Amino acid sequence: MVKKRSKHYNFAFLDEGSKRVIRRALLKAVAIPGYQVPFGSRELPIGRGWGTGGLQITLSVIGPGDVLKVIDQGSDDSVNALSIRNFVTACTGVETTTDSGEATLIQSRHRIPEAPLKAGQIMALQVPMPEPLRLVEPHEAVTRVMHAEMDYAPMWLALYESIVRTGDIELGADYPVMVEDRYMMMPSPIPRFDNHKLHMSPALFLFGAGREKKIYALPPYTRVVSLAFDDHPFRVESTHGRVCRLCGAADVYFDEFFDSATGGRLYQCSDSGYCEKRRRAGARATEPAAPTA
Amino acid sequence: MNNITGNPAFALELNELTVRYGPGCPSCGESPESLDRNRCPVCGSVWAVRGVSLRAREGETLGIVGESGSGKSTLMRALHLDEAPTSGAYFLDGGEENLFGVSPRRRRYIRDSLLGMVYQNPYLGLRMFFSSGANVAEKLIAAGSRNVRGMTERAEYLFRYMEIPFSRVKEPPRNFSGGMQQRVQIAKAVANNPPVLLLDEVTTGLDLSVQARVLDLIKRVQREFGVTMIVVSHDLAVVRLLADRTAVMRDGVIIEQGLTDRILEDPRHVYTQTLVNSML
Ligand SMILES: Nc1ncnc2c1ncn2[C@@H]1O[C@H](COP(=O)(O)OP(=O)(O)OP(=O)(O)O)[C@@H](O)[C@H]1O
Ligand SMILES: [Mg+2]
Ligand SMILES: [Zn+2]
């Protein structure tokens, strides 16, 4: 779907100077995988905390030939995804898609598509909290030194303490990773289920935190390892025994619904584009939406 | 006197350490005689440690005695690489690198793997809001361990060794008595079997009976871990019990050093004589 671009703004809204500033930060970020590069975050006509970090990245890398997909918590159709998509198309006129395989540029919040990404694709992720060490150290000046010196013992200690006290690492989404054995990094609030999609991916991942004014990146084929102890391996959210009520997919990340009719739970692909594509190809739930109590 | 590499005969070698707090000025920089004790009357700088050199052979214990403010803790913080000194050279195990000049990451490695420190103030040495077990584990984590079970077992072993009731392993040290906090600090300091152990006033402020037990414990560590130790105290009795050789500090300077027995039986400096006499 191609929309006509509004002539009131520069292509992709930001002026070329602002784009250059952000691209420079992006280049540095790509050169030092996992390292948080400070950048001069711009004002955009959407509220901070609504993904201005990811959006600024999208606007500074997008070109007229790009095919854009916008995801919010897996969905292409949420209000937030819709308004970002409309905004970007209004100021660029680029083609959009819901099929992650067709997109050249994917802006996302909270999910990485189920279908494996390919070489040449760019994923721009919105980041609310870029600093993994904030959990153990409140001061920015100190966390910078900690990264520089690779002083990650306090973080490991917090995880150790959590295991000793509760038997488990009490972290949910946005589960920290080590990048190329060097920098500790927040993957943005994707479920742990998505962490492995970052590892050795052929695609380029760009992360933007608007409020915190930080950009970081994972160039293609970067080693990304979720924090874990030898005897306490990293575990993803269980999807065991669940299938999508619409397309029958198993082994994907699900949204969970309460079925008021049966009192049971229903599961549905969180990645709406993936689900839709499967159904278009004829996939159906094998059992008639069997609810599990 | 300042050599460029360590002497292989010594496990620890410190050459001409000086730590100055403040800017310094021509008056105090050129003529230390102008100082009022350790302070420059012109610029107000404190020369906390001046030209201190120490040598310890492997497994040897070196005592440092001196009154309050003589620079003992400053010296120990420098030996633990906690703060950069004004000048000096520091070698471990006859190594070739001056440890005062290494990169921050290397410094962290040395501190985590080759040194153990018990601070005069347990709040500096312990994370009071983490469990005591985690305090020991921190040292193991810093040295690269990523095995929860192994670390927990090591902590348990050390707690038993230090005679800390096992039930307290999950409690934070802020709940503990002073003597118990020092035991946790010692457990943490020896967790990685570091070749060098630095003890700053471990028994100060403890009841006499508790003091005796902590000193016994240190003697055991000394025997069984075979570490090189630097023991700081303002109390000659502590040093007499633990140290093979002793240095006496005053106003940032070592005024006398030698075998502990010799210092006690035949103190040469007037100040040392006063110290020894006041002990008897
Ligand atoms: N950060 C600092 N800034 C300025 N002066 C300092 C600082 N730290 C220590 N000093 C001064 O350095 C001198 C040596 O202090 P230090 O704590 O090393 O003595 P000490 O021998 O350990 O004393 P105590 O027996 O009381 O523990 C003192 O005059 C002290 O006031
Ligand atoms: Mg002191
Ligand atoms: Zn001066």
Side-chain angles (χ1 to χ4, degrees):
Chain A
M1 145 178 68
V2 184
K3 286 196 185 156
K4 193 142 170 48
R5 169 164 91 85
S6 158
K7 297 289 178 202
H8 299 300
Y9 301 109
N10 188 35
F11 177 82
F13 187 80
L14 298 173
D15 61 89
E16 294 306 311
S18 301
K19 286 186 199 169
R20 259 198 300 278
V21 169
I22 295 168
R23 285 179 198 146
R24 228 175 271 140
L26 285 169
L27 283 175
K28 182 165 179 184
V30 168
I32 317 171
Y35 171 75
Q36 298 167 49
V37 182
F39 81 111
S41 188
R42 308 285 137 162
E43 293 299 332
L44 286 175
I46 58 169
R48 284 185 186 210
W50 285 96
T52 57
L55 189 53
Q56 289 180 77
I57 288 178
T58 295
L59 295 175
S60 21
V61 301
I62 199 165
D66 270 311
V67 180
L68 175 73
K69 172 178 164 76
V70 179
I71 315 172
D72 184 42
Q73 317 231 26
S75 166
D76 293 85
D77 310 317
S78 73
V79 179
N80 199 26
L82 220 70
S83 64
I84 290 178
R85 188 164 59 232
N86 289 341
F87 173 68
V88 179
T89 49
C91 61
T92 61
V94 300
E95 205 180 312
T96 65
T97 180
T98 61
D99 182 345
S100 66
E102 282 172 13
T104 57
L105 177 60
I106 303 173
Q107 161 146 6
S108 176
R109 187 171 83 112
H110 291 195
R111 280 309 309 277
I112 296 170
E114 300 292 356
L117 296 169
K118 297 175 299 193
Q121 289 186 303
I122 297 178
M123 192 80 221
L125 281 150
Q126 299 170 201
V127 180
M129 238 304 301
E131 182 50 76
L133 299 174
R134 200 59 74 225
L135 209 71
V136 293
E137 171 54 56
H139 302 102
E140 174 69 15
V142 180
T143 51
R144 276 191 206 197
V145 174
M146 290 170 77
H147 282 294
E149 298 184 8
M150 243 183 117
D151 173 20
Y152 294 139
M155 184 70 174
W156 285 101
L157 185 65
L159 302 184
Y160 172 87
E161 183 86 328
S162 169
I163 292 172
V164 170
R165 276 183 197 277
T166 70
D168 205 355
I169 293 177
E170 291 182 303
L171 293 173
D174 215 352
Y175 186 101
V177 295
M178 279 302 291
V179 177
E180 290 288 340
D181 294 324
R182 178 58 187 88
Y183 286 103
M184 197 176 280
M185 188 194 94
M186 286 303 235
S188 85
I190 55 174
R192 281 171 288 152
F193 185 87
D194 285 349
N195 272 25
H196 79 275
K197 296 174 185 165
L198 298 169
H199 177 60
M200 295 305 275
S201 171
L204 167 65
F205 285 85
L206 305 174
F207 299 82
R211 205 175 6 160
E212 306 268 333
K213 302 185 169 68
K214 295 282 185 57
I215 278 175
Y216 51 97
L218 299 172
Y221 304 105
T222 299
R223 274 183 298 130
V224 178
V225 180
S226 303
L227 302 191
F229 289 94
D230 300 345
D231 56 343
H232 214 93
F234 171 71
R235 261 191 290 269
V236 302
E237 297 86 352
S238 169
T239 58
H240 184 73
R242 297 171 186 178
V243 290
C244 174
R245 64 169 174 159
L246 300 176
C247 75
D251 237 357
V252 295
Y253 194 71
F254 294 108
D255 287 340
E256 200 175 310
F257 298 93
F258 184 69
D259 185 352
S260 50
T262 66
R265 286 171 209 283
L266 291 175
Y267 299 97
Q268 180 177 319
C269 289
S270 137
D271 182 344
S272 66
Y274 177 78
C275 190
E276 195 184 295
K277 191 176 177 182
R278 276 173 55 87
R279 278 179 284 139
R280 252 189 279 118
R284 291 291 176 268
T286 40
E287 303 149 67
T292 50
Chain B
M1 173 105 186
N2 252 348
N3 48 349
I4 348 159
T5 66
N7 181 335
F10 301 111
L12 180 151
E13 187 175 359
L14 180 69
N15 289 319
E16 298 284 333
L17 172 73
T18 294
V19 180
R20 184 190 66 225
Y21 296 108
C25 72
S27 164
C28 60
E30 272 152 39
S31 54
E33 313 77 49
S34 70
L35 295 182
D36 172 17
R37 307 214 55 180
N38 64 5
R39 194 174 163 280
C40 171
V42 180
C43 69
S45 295
V46 172
W47 294 74
V49 176
R50 266 188 295 148
V52 164
S53 298
L54 300 172
R55 279 152 193 57
R57 290 176 194 278
E58 191 182 329
E60 196 176 32
T61 297
L62 204 59
I64 314 274
V65 284
E67 64 192 19
S68 186
S70 57
K72 305 180 298 294
S73 292
T74 307
L75 166 65
M76 293 296 260
R77 284 198 303 274
L79 290 175
H80 195 240
L81 305 177
D82 287 341
E83 42 187 277
T86 308
S87 61
Y90 178 22
F91 305 96
L92 288 181
D93 202 21
E96 302 203 334
E97 54 180 357
N98 174 0
L99 303 187
F100 292 140
V102 300
S103 76
R105 266 177 83 180
R106 175 90 184 126
R107 183 164 65 224
R108 188 168 292 287
Y109 167 79
I110 291 162
R111 203 190 290 142
D112 291 335
S113 307
L114 305 182
L115 302 172
M117 169 98 159
V118 172
Y119 288 86
Q120 181 170 5
N121 177 354
Y123 274 79
L124 291 179
L126 296 174
R127 291 177 187 267
M128 288 295 176
F129 291 86
F130 278 78
S131 70
S132 304
N135 269 281
V136 173
E138 179 177 15
K139 201 69 179 161
L140 302 167
I141 287 170
S145 172
R146 294 290 179 266
N147 188 300
V148 173
R149 210 196 148 107
M151 289 191 282
T152 305
E153 282 171 4
R154 177 75 178 151
E156 286 170 9
Y157 166 80
L158 288 168
F159 274 43
R160 225 175 301 124
Y161 192 98
M162 304 299 158
E163 294 169 11
I164 304 167
F166 172 66
S167 58
R168 313 206 70 169
V169 96
K170 287 193 181 184
E171 261 184 81
R174 69 171 188 282
N175 294 354
F176 293 3
S177 66
M180 196 80 88
Q181 287 177 348
Q182 292 309 58
R183 283 163 195 273
V184 178
Q185 276 212 83
I186 298 169
K188 178 177 180 175
V190 301
N192 291 325
N193 283 321
V196 173
L197 200 52
L198 308 165
L199 307 176
D200 190 0
E201 307 271 11
V202 244
T203 55
T204 307
L206 303 179
D207 293 349
L208 279 181
S209 62
V210 181
Q211 242 186 59
R213 288 181 57 198
V214 172
L215 288 173
D216 275 350
L217 174 61
I218 294 168
K219 282 202 83 73
R220 233 184 112 190
V221 168
Q222 200 173 35
R223 269 197 318 271
E224 293 170 17
F225 286 69
V227 285
T228 308
M229 285 199 326
I230 312 283
V231 177
V232 153
S233 181
H234 64 271
D235 184 353
L236 260 183
V238 168
V239 164
R240 174 167 66 179
L241 197 65
L242 299 175
D244 304 307
R245 289 189 306 116
T246 293
V248 183
M249 269 184 94
R250 194 187 193 194
D251 298 339
V253 182
I254 290 185
I255 53 170
E256 178 162 2
Q257 82 176 294
L259 292 173
T260 305
D261 291 344
R262 202 281 291 158
I263 299 259
L264 289 169
E265 279 156 27
D266 177 24
R268 293 186 187 151
H269 197 284
V270 188
Y271 176 74
T272 317
Q273 288 165 4
T274 330
L275 270 187
V276 173
N277 288 335
S278 66
M279 185 183 73
L280 301 175

